[in-house]
């Protein structure tokens, strides 16, 4: 069958034939410079890029091309890691088929360790710009990969990216705010991996974790119902319902947000959609509480004895009010 297999047309066909022969431990003859065409010809990379961005190219060919690009990189035959990473990020943003988006996203994450810090930052910024397009059917696939990629940035660049997320949460476009929240949720799922990546102090590590949590809570208090609902879904599904977070990690998150979360969800407008959204999130939180009680018998939460009551209408809540509250907090009051 393989002898009669026509590989003249596409590079992906040549690659499949060569790999089948190799995997079956059959002699893989270098017909028509096959190995050179696959792993040594610089023109092959441009050919793959062009083919992957054509709407007429079948999705299965695109997936094989992604695999070929990865093989070239890991064999050292392709030194254009940044260009390949940029190509993968484009496929995540524009591909019509979901399977191509996910294949490109997983391939991008696999080559992150081969990229310099500057290159990682360039791809992260490019993907974060994709969150701003506002077309949820396309941008909803970005958080799964941007959230992981962000945690491979240097702390300075990561903090800069979080500043961009803060601006996205202030966007008047509800869909932009929603995908920003999803990205922050993915970041928290994988945040424990960041602790030893750049050897920063534990205080800086905890401070950033609390800042990410704070941004999600900011989404929960947003006056747009859609963003508020999405924030609660992220808290329930991405955090307390996550299999990637250990029980102790979930406890630390719960300890930080449980009071504000309880107050904020009480004020949410209830529609049929928000009812089921909240029920799903509360179910994840309930499962966490049940698991924690089963293992540790009780949930110990810090109780601050010094409590300050600050009355007023706060309409609007001004920078002066904020300054007073900060001073009270710095004196040790809740």
């Amino acid at each position: 069958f393989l002898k009669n297999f026509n590989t003249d047309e596409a590079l992906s066909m040549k690659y499949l034939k060569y790999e089948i022969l190799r995997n079956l431990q059959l002699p893989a003859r270098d017909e028509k410079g096959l190995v050179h065409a696959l792993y040594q010809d610089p023109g092959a990379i441009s050919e793959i890029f062009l083919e992957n961005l054509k709407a007429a190219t079948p999705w299965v060919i695109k997936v094989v091309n992604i695999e070929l690009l990865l093989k070239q990189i890991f064999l050292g035959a392709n030194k254009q890691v940044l260009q390949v990473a940029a190509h993968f990020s484009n496929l995540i943003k524009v591909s019509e088929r979901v399977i191509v988006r996910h294949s490109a996203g997983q391939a991008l994450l696999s080559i992150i360790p081969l990229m310099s810090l500057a290159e990682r930052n360039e791809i992260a910024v490019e993907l974060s710009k994709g969150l701003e397009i506002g077309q949820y059917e396309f941008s909803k696939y970005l958080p799964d990969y941007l959230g992981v990629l962000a945690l491979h940035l240097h702390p300075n660049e990561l903090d800069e990216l979080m500043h961009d997320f803060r601006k996205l949460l202030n966007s008047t476009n509800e869909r932009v705010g929603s995908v920003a929240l999803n990205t922050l949720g993915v970041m928290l799922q994988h945040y424990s991996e960041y602790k030893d990546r750049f050897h920063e102090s534990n205080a800086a590590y905890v401070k950033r974790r609390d800042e990410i949590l704070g941004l999600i809570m900011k989404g929960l208090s947003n006056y747009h119902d859609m963003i508020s609902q999405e924030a609660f879904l992220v808290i329930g599904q991405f955090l307390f319902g996550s299999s990637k977070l250990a029980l102790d990690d979930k406890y630390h998150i719960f300890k930080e947000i449980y009071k504000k979360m309880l107050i904020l969800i009480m004020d949410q407008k209830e529609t049929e959609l928000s009812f089921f959204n909240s029920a799903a999130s509360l179910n994840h939180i309930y499962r966490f509480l049940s698991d924690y009680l089963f293992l540790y018998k009780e949930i110990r939460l810090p109780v601050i004895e010094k409590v300050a009551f600050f009355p007023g209408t706060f309409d609007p809540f001004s920078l002066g009010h904020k300054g007073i509250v900060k001073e009270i907090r710095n004196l040790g009051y809740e």
Side-chain angles (χ1 to χ4, degrees):
F1 177 80
L2 287 170
K3 283 179 183 176
N4 296 316
F5 193 70
N6 184 11
T7 58
D8 290 339
E9 294 182 5
L11 205 62
S12 54
M13 297 298 119
K14 295 176 182 178
Y15 167 70
L16 287 175
K17 179 177 179 180
Y18 182 75
E19 288 298 314
I20 290 169
L21 287 169
R22 236 172 39 86
N23 291 335
L24 294 175
Q25 297 180 340
L26 295 171
R29 294 187 301 278
D30 191 12
E31 301 171 9
K32 301 178 184 176
L34 185 59
V35 175
H36 174 78
L38 290 175
Y39 302 121
Q40 294 161 16
D41 182 11
I45 301 166
S46 300
E47 184 183 330
I48 293 171
F49 285 178
L50 187 63
E51 191 174 36
N52 278 356
L53 293 174
K54 287 180 180 176
T57 305
W59 67 266
V60 70
I61 299 296
K62 294 183 180 182
V63 172
V64 172
N65 283 339
I66 290 169
E67 187 181 320
L68 174 53
L69 286 171
L70 279 181
K71 184 65 73 76
Q72 289 175 341
I73 286 175
F74 289 127
L75 289 176
N78 186 345
K79 305 295 183 185
Q80 302 177 40
V81 181
L82 177 59
Q83 288 87 337
V84 172
H87 177 66
F88 289 157
S89 70
N90 282 333
L91 289 177
I92 299 171
K93 288 187 288 186
V94 303
S95 290
E96 293 179 0
R97 293 295 187 117
V98 174
I99 189 170
V100 176
R101 291 174 182 268
H102 287 312
S103 297
Q106 289 157 10
L108 175 61
L109 295 184
S110 69
I111 63 173
I112 289 174
L114 304 177
M115 299 163 65
S116 68
L117 290 175
E119 290 171 341
R120 296 175 194 179
N121 187 57
E122 190 170 333
I123 299 300
V125 170
E126 186 65 29
L127 283 177
S128 69
K129 296 301 178 188
L131 297 178
E132 299 177 25
I133 60 178
Q135 293 177 285
Y136 188 71
E137 61 271 26
F138 297 116
S139 59
K140 67 181 179 180
Y141 299 103
L142 296 175
D144 287 342
Y145 306 107
L146 178 56
V148 177
L149 174 59
L151 296 177
H152 285 80
L153 300 179
H154 186 274
N156 293 338
E157 275 68 53
L158 178 56
D159 291 340
E160 187 68 28
L161 189 65
M162 283 177 55
H163 180 69
D164 291 340
F165 290 152
R166 188 174 283 107
K167 289 192 287 187
L168 291 179
L169 284 174
N170 292 331
S171 170
T172 54
N173 189 324
E174 297 176 345
R175 296 179 177 185
V176 172
S178 295
V179 288
L181 284 168
N182 289 341
T183 307
L184 291 166
V186 173
M187 284 175 65
L188 271 182
Q189 282 183 343
H190 297 270
Y191 190 63
S192 60
E193 302 166 13
Y194 194 72
K195 190 168 189 177
D196 301 317
R197 197 162 275 161
F198 293 96
H199 306 291
E200 65 175 349
S201 68
N202 188 63
Y205 169 83
V206 172
K207 182 174 181 288
R208 187 181 299 104
R209 183 198 65 192
D210 291 345
E211 283 178 7
I212 298 173
L213 263 178
L215 289 176
I216 294 175
M217 295 306 290
K218 182 179 181 181
L220 188 59
S221 63
N222 197 291
Y223 61 91
H224 286 295
D225 293 340
M226 180 177 169
I227 294 179
S228 178
Q229 288 174 23
E230 191 71 26
F232 194 40
L233 187 69
V234 167
I235 290 169
Q237 183 177 319
F238 285 60
L239 303 183
F240 293 108
S242 172
S243 58
K244 297 180 179 69
L245 284 170
L247 207 56
D248 286 337
D249 292 330
K250 293 178 183 179
Y251 165 72
H252 288 300
I253 291 171
F254 183 78
K255 186 174 66 173
E256 293 294 327
I257 70 171
Y258 77 100
K259 274 190 180 178
K260 286 182 181 177
M261 180 174 65
L262 181 62
I263 296 298
L264 291 171
I265 62 174
M266 294 291 286
D267 288 336
Q268 284 186 340
K269 296 176 186 174
E270 188 170 294
T271 62
E272 189 173 3
L273 177 62
S274 69
F275 171 79
F276 288 110
N277 184 81
S278 298
S281 297
L282 288 167
N283 182 45
H284 288 301
I285 297 170
Y286 171 75
R287 287 171 183 270
F288 152 71
L289 293 172
S290 298
D291 290 345
Y292 197 89
L293 285 170
F294 178 77
L295 287 173
Y296 297 105
K297 308 304 179 192
E298 62 176 333
I299 297 177
R300 293 185 178 180
L301 297 170
V303 177
I304 299 176
E305 297 297 335
K306 295 171 69 176
V307 178
F309 179 61
F310 185 24
T313 54
F314 311 113
D315 186 15
F317 186 78
S318 66
L319 290 175
H321 295 139
K322 185 177 178 181
I324 294 169
V325 171
K326 280 188 170 182
E327 288 299 319
I328 295 171
R329 179 200 63 186
N330 294 339
L331 291 171
Y333 287 90
E334 176 160 357

